[in-house]
Amino acid sequence: MRLRALLETDALGLRLLGGEDELDRTVRGVMTTDLKDPSRYLSGGELVLTGLAWLREPEDAEPFVRILASAGVAALAAGEAELGDIPDDLVQACLRHRLPLFAVNESVAFATITEHVVRQVSGERAGDLAAVVDRHRRLMTSGPAGGGPEVVLDLLGSDLDLRAWVLSPTGRQIAGAGEPLDAGLAATLAGEHLAATRTGRRGPHRLSAAGSTYSLFPIRNTGRGAPPASRDVRETVLSDWLLAVEADAGDWPAARLDLLQGVTQLIAVERDRRDAARTVRRRLAQEVLELVQTGAAPAEIAARLRVAAPVLLPGLGTAPHWQVVVARVEWDTEGGTAAVETGPVAQALLEEILVDPATVGADSADRIAVAHHGDEAIALVPLPAGPLPDSEDEGTTSIGLHADALLAAVRDPLSSGLADDGRLTLGVSAAVHSAEGLRGALEEARHARRVAAARPGRVCAAGHHELASHVLLLPFVPDDVRRAFTARLLDPLRDYDRRHRAELIPTLEAFLDCDGSWTRCATRLHLHVNTLRYRVGRIEQLTGRDLSRLEDKLDFFLALRMS
């Protein structure tokens, strides 16, 4: 706003004492001070309000005005409540330094002037920023110009003092201005956003965390090609980005909320562009997958892999190894809920999961090819050529494709998005170095995913190293057989524990975990060996089994794993 506008506002009670030629100066802020030297608090463009408590001697005026002029303030407004008329020494100093000077009527509070200036300046900044956002959106829609969402996030920070970040549904930072958001905090914000979206709450969602309040705006395309409003939220909840703003939007005016909605629409354009760039990688993965599943000759598959390798690992020079990851998202359909097509959901989610959570940026998944077949998402992940990982140490690959590690950083937010009616299961194959091994890797990843599906929890994973274990058999045991087997062995112990609080089930688990060692088990449970022997004897008496026999130990072990 201009100084002239302040002078023309009668309610502010301002009277011009000098500086008629400077009334077109722009006011960017306001500050009240009675310090003799307020320079450390000035950044330029302020209207400085003072009650003149610093003016003890006539010679105090010159250095005070010189400090203000050097700092580039817009004008000085002196209150008449303390001294009545404004001292002539101050008027003359302002004239010498070409600093506009206003007298503030004693009936007008400085708070009234401050509130007016802040309101006007904030409104003008928001209007200017809205124009920039609109121009930026048009640039991004028409082509790659504009600089991406970081430019608008920078503007939010510089013009509205709002810190903001674009996050993926797993909490990974896509874009931001200034310091990156703490990874743990980002995961918490993403989880809250997913949970709120699943319950049907309209954004922005507000959350207090780490001593600050954050407002979470969903990023959805509302322009051409946008999904219909009636679309099931489960089709997009696990793939939509969000805008996290460090502020409480609960008391924002409609104009500012509209501005932030414009920012989210702009970022949605960037999201659409990123998805379009993934089309080539998805098509490559789909072609390889179809060849593998239809039994094509290894030479034909190898030729297709040679086409894929330069796209996924440009400049590599040698053929990489490959790993296969299979993921599946399942939603309950009880109570008449319509079925959701989960293949595309799992595809978008797997593309996000396979990105290193510490990686920042929208294009960080450019070396991952994910296809979907029915309800499965299948990823071909290239590994730079080198020694294959040991079967006992899956984590030796360069990108860390260990089943548990893949989900460690994303389990909590995704569980919020899956709520109480969804599951994500994931399986990881061993690395292979040829087309001949790709079919086996695909089947291995699928078997591992079935093992994960047999486990409790909303988000589960299993790796190829688990397929050499007895747990490979468990997913294929019919449910009625599992229930009958576990009930026959464990129900007598559960009933006894319920009546006597004897802790026979925990004792059995510890005994088997200690390989039947009386001393180690007693130490772990903080029991005397004789007490342990009594409990084991009671277990044998109630079940008719003998825990000194390998067969009975194995039966108990499997029953505990299936329960």
Side-chain angles (χ1 to χ4, degrees):
M1 67 180 304
R2 305 288 183 179
L3 288 175
R4 192 179 306 280
L6 287 175
L7 187 61
E8 294 171 351
T9 304
D10 294 338
L12 299 184
L14 296 178
R15 189 174 79 259
L16 184 65
L17 301 180
E20 294 87 347
D21 297 336
E22 306 293 334
L23 291 181
D24 286 328
R25 288 189 182 187
T26 299
V27 179
R28 296 186 175 86
V30 62
M31 188 193 75
T32 299
T33 184
D34 275 314
L35 296 174
K36 295 183 68 172
D37 182 1
S39 58
R40 72 182 71 180
Y41 305 109
L42 299 172
S43 57
E46 296 94 347
L47 171 67
V48 175
L49 304 174
T50 180
L52 300 178
W54 51 270
L55 188 60
R56 304 294 177 83
E57 304 291 341
E59 56 267 21
D60 291 340
E62 173 66 25
F64 181 81
V65 173
R66 187 189 313 118
I67 289 171
L68 299 189
S70 299
V73 303
L76 173 64
E80 295 179 324
E82 183 74 20
L83 302 177
D85 292 337
I86 306 302
D88 187 62
D89 299 283
L90 181 60
V91 175
Q92 294 304 317
C94 288
L95 289 173
R96 284 194 296 274
H97 291 279
R98 301 180 62 83
L99 181 67
L101 175 64
F102 297 99
V104 182
N105 190 282
E106 60 181 352
S107 64
V108 178
F110 282 178
T112 301
I113 300 174
T114 299
E115 182 180 353
H116 178 83
V117 172
V118 169
R119 184 167 60 248
Q120 294 298 317
V121 170
S122 296
E124 291 175 1
R125 284 183 176 177
D128 292 343
L129 182 57
V132 173
V133 168
D134 184 64
R135 182 170 67 252
H136 198 69
R137 180 167 61 247
R138 290 197 300 270
L139 286 171
M140 291 186 69
T141 303
S142 62
E150 285 85 357
V151 173
V152 177
L153 298 185
D154 281 335
L155 287 171
L156 287 177
S158 61
D159 282 29
L160 295 184
D161 197 26
L162 293 176
R163 299 177 65 208
W165 303 265
V166 179
L167 304 178
S168 77
T170 66
R172 186 175 63 84
Q173 183 171 317
I174 304 296
E179 290 295 321
L181 199 60
D182 174 76
L185 175 57
T188 298
L189 297 179
E192 172 64 19
H193 172 75
L194 291 174
T197 302
R198 286 303 316 278
T199 59
R201 286 158 48 196
R202 297 186 61 183
H205 314 302
R206 287 175 289 160
L207 171 69
S208 293
S212 298
T213 299
Y214 295 86
S215 297
L216 312 176
F217 294 80
I219 295 176
R220 301 191 184 102
N221 185 5
T222 57
R224 182 180 301 177
S230 60
R231 187 172 180 173
D232 193 319
V233 68
R234 295 177 300 177
E235 294 187 34
T236 59
V237 66
L238 298 179
S239 58
D240 281 344
W241 290 354
L242 68 138
L243 177 67
V245 181
E246 190 178 5
D248 187 346
D251 56 357
W252 281 4
R256 180 166 289 199
L257 288 172
D258 289 344
L259 172 62
L260 267 293
Q261 293 298 339
V263 171
T264 64
Q265 292 174 25
L266 187 154
I267 297 170
V269 175
E270 176 70 16
R271 173 66 188 271
D272 291 343
R273 178 173 292 118
R274 187 204 66 154
D275 286 344
R278 284 185 169 181
T279 301
V280 172
R281 297 189 295 277
R282 287 175 171 176
R283 186 172 65 246
L284 286 172
Q286 199 73 40
E287 291 174 355
V288 173
L289 175 63
E290 289 176 0
L291 290 175
V292 170
Q293 294 194 130
T294 56
E300 187 177 0
I301 299 174
R304 182 55 55 189
L305 288 177
R306 284 194 294 272
V307 172
V311 175
L312 300 178
L313 287 177
L316 186 65
T318 55
H321 303 310
W322 301 88
Q323 276 187 286
V324 177
V325 182
V326 173
R328 185 166 183 166
V329 174
E330 298 173 288
W331 302 104
D332 295 341
T333 55
E334 297 178 0
T337 304
V340 176
E341 186 182 2
T342 59
V345 178
Q347 181 182 40
L349 186 56
L350 186 55
E351 286 172 334
E352 175 61 32
I353 289 173
L354 290 173
V355 180
D356 184 342
T359 302
V360 174
D363 298 325
S364 51
D366 59 355
R367 296 184 176 185
I368 298 166
V370 183
H372 73 84
H373 178 75
D375 290 338
E376 284 184 336
I378 302 167
L380 294 174
V381 183
L383 308 176
L388 286 171
D390 296 334
S391 60
E392 296 181 358
D393 186 9
E394 192 177 3
T396 58
T397 63
S398 61
I399 57 174
L401 281 187
H402 190 285
D404 289 334
L406 282 176
L407 295 183
V410 302
R411 181 173 277 107
D412 288 344
L414 291 184
S415 295
S416 298
L418 293 163
D420 58 357
D421 63 345
R423 289 198 79 203
L424 166 67
T425 51
L426 183 145
V428 181
S429 78
V432 296
H433 66 278
S434 66
E436 289 87 347
L438 206 54
R439 182 179 301 173
L442 175 58
E443 290 305 312
E444 192 172 57
R446 282 175 166 161
H447 280 303
R449 193 206 63 78
R450 294 189 190 104
V451 170
R455 295 171 174 166
R458 290 290 167 194
V459 181
C460 299
H464 66 88
H465 61 289
E466 299 180 66
L467 302 186
S469 166
H470 62 278
V471 295
L472 177 61
L473 304 175
L474 300 185
F476 308 104
V477 178
D479 288 343
D480 55 344
V481 174
R482 292 157 67 100
R483 286 192 294 269
F485 180 71
T486 57
R488 186 166 58 249
L489 278 175
L490 302 182
D491 279 2
L493 306 182
R494 293 192 180 110
D495 291 341
Y496 192 87
D497 280 349
R498 207 159 30 241
R499 293 195 308 270
H500 302 283
R501 299 182 181 179
E503 298 188 354
L504 296 185
I505 292 289
T507 300
L508 175 61
E509 291 175 331
F511 186 72
L512 295 175
D513 195 43
C514 292
D515 299 323
S517 168
W518 297 98
T519 302
R520 283 196 289 123
C521 184
T523 301
R524 174 181 293 189
L525 296 176
H526 306 290
L527 297 175
H528 192 280
V529 173
N530 289 341
T531 303
L532 176 61
R533 291 185 185 277
Y534 171 80
R535 288 188 183 180
V536 171
R538 180 62 67 183
I539 292 171
E540 293 174 335
Q541 180 184 12
L542 292 170
T543 60
R545 298 300 186 105
D546 182 356
L547 277 168
S548 66
R549 300 178 66 247
L550 177 61
E551 293 87 345
D552 288 342
K553 287 181 182 177
L554 181 58
D555 283 348
F556 276 123
F557 180 78
L558 292 174
L560 289 169
R561 292 299 296 267
M562 289 190 292
S563 63

PDB file of all heavy atoms in Angstrom, residues 7-20:
ATOM      1  N   LEU A   7      -2.770   8.404   4.538  1.00  0.00           N
ATOM      2  CA  LEU A   7      -3.123   9.783   4.843  1.00  0.00           C
ATOM      3  C   LEU A   7      -4.597  10.060   4.534  1.00  0.00           C
ATOM      4  O   LEU A   7      -5.249  10.856   5.208  1.00  0.00           O
ATOM      5  CB  LEU A   7      -2.222  10.733   4.050  1.00  0.00           C
ATOM      6  CG  LEU A   7      -2.330  12.228   4.375  1.00  0.00           C
ATOM      7  CD1 LEU A   7      -1.947  12.484   5.831  1.00  0.00           C
ATOM      8  CD2 LEU A   7      -1.439  13.034   3.435  1.00  0.00           C
ATOM      9  N   GLU A   8      -5.120   9.374   3.513  1.00  0.00           N
ATOM     10  CA  GLU A   8      -6.504   9.589   3.100  1.00  0.00           C
ATOM     11  C   GLU A   8      -7.506   8.791   3.917  1.00  0.00           C
ATOM     12  O   GLU A   8      -8.716   8.931   3.704  1.00  0.00           O
ATOM     13  CB  GLU A   8      -6.645   9.236   1.620  1.00  0.00           C
ATOM     14  CG  GLU A   8      -5.860  10.180   0.701  1.00  0.00           C
ATOM     15  CD  GLU A   8      -5.816   9.707  -0.733  1.00  0.00           C
ATOM     16  OE1 GLU A   8      -6.264   8.551  -0.978  1.00  0.00           O
ATOM     17  OE2 GLU A   8      -5.334  10.459  -1.594  1.00  0.00           O
ATOM     18  N   THR A   9      -7.026   7.973   4.870  1.00  0.00           N
ATOM     19  CA  THR A   9      -7.917   7.193   5.728  1.00  0.00           C
ATOM     20  C   THR A   9      -8.168   7.971   7.008  1.00  0.00           C
ATOM     21  O   THR A   9      -7.327   8.039   7.911  1.00  0.00           O
ATOM     22  CB  THR A   9      -7.291   5.810   6.057  1.00  0.00           C
ATOM     23  OG1 THR A   9      -6.977   5.134   4.832  1.00  0.00           O
ATOM     24  CG2 THR A   9      -8.267   4.965   6.866  1.00  0.00           C
ATOM     25  N   ASP A  10      -9.348   8.608   7.106  1.00  0.00           N
ATOM     26  CA  ASP A  10      -9.646   9.502   8.223  1.00  0.00           C
ATOM     27  C   ASP A  10      -9.587   8.800   9.565  1.00  0.00           C
ATOM     28  O   ASP A  10      -9.184   9.408  10.584  1.00  0.00           O
ATOM     29  CB  ASP A  10     -11.042  10.118   8.018  1.00  0.00           C
ATOM     30  CG  ASP A  10     -11.080  11.045   6.808  1.00  0.00           C
ATOM     31  OD1 ASP A  10     -10.001  11.528   6.410  1.00  0.00           O
ATOM     32  OD2 ASP A  10     -12.178  11.250   6.262  1.00  0.00           O
ATOM     33  N   ALA A  11      -9.961   7.551   9.606  1.00  0.00           N
ATOM     34  CA  ALA A  11     -10.029   6.835  10.887  1.00  0.00           C
ATOM     35  C   ALA A  11      -8.662   6.678  11.528  1.00  0.00           C
ATOM     36  O   ALA A  11      -8.568   6.403  12.740  1.00  0.00           O
ATOM     37  CB  ALA A  11     -10.662   5.458  10.682  1.00  0.00           C
ATOM     38  N   LEU A  12      -7.589   6.855  10.771  1.00  0.00           N
ATOM     39  CA  LEU A  12      -6.244   6.667  11.327  1.00  0.00           C
ATOM     40  C   LEU A  12      -5.722   7.935  12.003  1.00  0.00           C
ATOM     41  O   LEU A  12      -4.721   7.874  12.726  1.00  0.00           O
ATOM     42  CB  LEU A  12      -5.271   6.235  10.219  1.00  0.00           C
ATOM     43  CG  LEU A  12      -5.615   4.913   9.521  1.00  0.00           C
ATOM     44  CD1 LEU A  12      -4.526   4.556   8.509  1.00  0.00           C
ATOM     45  CD2 LEU A  12      -5.776   3.777  10.527  1.00  0.00           C
ATOM     46  N   GLY A  13      -6.362   9.089  11.794  1.00  0.00           N
ATOM     47  CA  GLY A  13      -5.968  10.318  12.479  1.00  0.00           C
ATOM     48  C   GLY A  13      -4.555  10.757  12.193  1.00  0.00           C
ATOM     49  O   GLY A  13      -3.845  11.233  13.093  1.00  0.00           O
ATOM     50  N   LEU A  14      -4.100  10.644  10.956  1.00  0.00           N
ATOM     51  CA  LEU A  14      -2.739  11.030  10.589  1.00  0.00           C
ATOM     52  C   LEU A  14      -2.735  12.446   9.991  1.00  0.00           C
ATOM     53  O   LEU A  14      -3.602  12.810   9.188  1.00  0.00           O
ATOM     54  CB  LEU A  14      -2.157  10.041   9.576  1.00  0.00           C
ATOM     55  CG  LEU A  14      -1.976   8.595  10.059  1.00  0.00           C
ATOM     56  CD1 LEU A  14      -1.437   7.736   8.926  1.00  0.00           C
ATOM     57  CD2 LEU A  14      -1.056   8.537  11.259  1.00  0.00           C
ATOM     58  N   ARG A  15      -1.710  13.225  10.346  1.00  0.00           N
ATOM     59  CA  ARG A  15      -1.525  14.571   9.810  1.00  0.00           C
ATOM     60  C   ARG A  15      -0.105  14.680   9.277  1.00  0.00           C
ATOM     61  O   ARG A  15       0.853  14.385   9.983  1.00  0.00           O
ATOM     62  CB  ARG A  15      -1.776  15.620  10.908  1.00  0.00           C
ATOM     63  CG  ARG A  15      -1.816  17.052  10.358  1.00  0.00           C
ATOM     64  CD  ARG A  15      -2.218  18.060  11.449  1.00  0.00           C
ATOM     65  NE  ARG A  15      -1.112  18.395  12.341  1.00  0.00           N
ATOM     66  CZ  ARG A  15      -0.943  17.901  13.549  1.00  0.00           C
ATOM     67  NH1 ARG A  15      -1.803  17.011  14.033  1.00  0.00           N
ATOM     68  NH2 ARG A  15       0.082  18.280  14.302  1.00  0.00           N
ATOM     69  N   LEU A  16       0.030  15.065   8.036  1.00  0.00           N
ATOM     70  CA  LEU A  16       1.349  15.123   7.391  1.00  0.00           C
ATOM     71  C   LEU A  16       2.106  16.361   7.846  1.00  0.00           C
ATOM     72  O   LEU A  16       1.624  17.489   7.748  1.00  0.00           O
ATOM     73  CB  LEU A  16       1.194  15.131   5.875  1.00  0.00           C
ATOM     74  CG  LEU A  16       2.495  15.099   5.066  1.00  0.00           C
ATOM     75  CD1 LEU A  16       3.225  13.782   5.292  1.00  0.00           C
ATOM     76  CD2 LEU A  16       2.197  15.286   3.570  1.00  0.00           C
ATOM     77  N   LEU A  17       3.336  16.157   8.353  1.00  0.00           N
ATOM     78  CA  LEU A  17       4.199  17.249   8.797  1.00  0.00           C
ATOM     79  C   LEU A  17       5.347  17.503   7.835  1.00  0.00           C
ATOM     80  O   LEU A  17       6.029  18.539   7.951  1.00  0.00           O
ATOM     81  CB  LEU A  17       4.759  16.940  10.189  1.00  0.00           C
ATOM     82  CG  LEU A  17       3.731  16.733  11.300  1.00  0.00           C
ATOM     83  CD1 LEU A  17       4.427  16.446  12.614  1.00  0.00           C
ATOM     84  CD2 LEU A  17       2.819  17.948  11.428  1.00  0.00           C
ATOM     85  N   GLY A  18       5.586  16.622   6.918  1.00  0.00           N
ATOM     86  CA  GLY A  18       6.675  16.802   5.961  1.00  0.00           C
ATOM     87  C   GLY A  18       6.811  15.585   5.075  1.00  0.00           C
ATOM     88  O   GLY A  18       6.520  14.463   5.491  1.00  0.00           O
ATOM     89  N   GLY A  19       7.269  15.840   3.820  1.00  0.00           N
ATOM     90  CA  GLY A  19       7.471  14.725   2.897  1.00  0.00           C
ATOM     91  C   GLY A  19       6.380  14.589   1.872  1.00  0.00           C
ATOM     92  O   GLY A  19       6.081  13.470   1.420  1.00  0.00           O
ATOM     93  N   GLU A  20       5.769  15.718   1.459  1.00  0.00           N
ATOM     94  CA  GLU A  20       4.687  15.660   0.481  1.00  0.00           C
ATOM     95  C   GLU A  20       5.087  14.969  -0.812  1.00  0.00           C
ATOM     96  O   GLU A  20       4.260  14.328  -1.475  1.00  0.00           O
ATOM     97  CB  GLU A  20       4.204  17.089   0.155  1.00  0.00           C
ATOM     98  CG  GLU A  20       3.537  17.818   1.292  1.00  0.00           C
ATOM     99  CD  GLU A  20       4.553  18.542   2.158  1.00  0.00           C
ATOM    100  OE1 GLU A  20       5.771  18.274   2.008  1.00  0.00           O
ATOM    101  OE2 GLU A  20       4.142  19.372   2.991  1.00  0.00           O
TER     102      GLU A  20
END
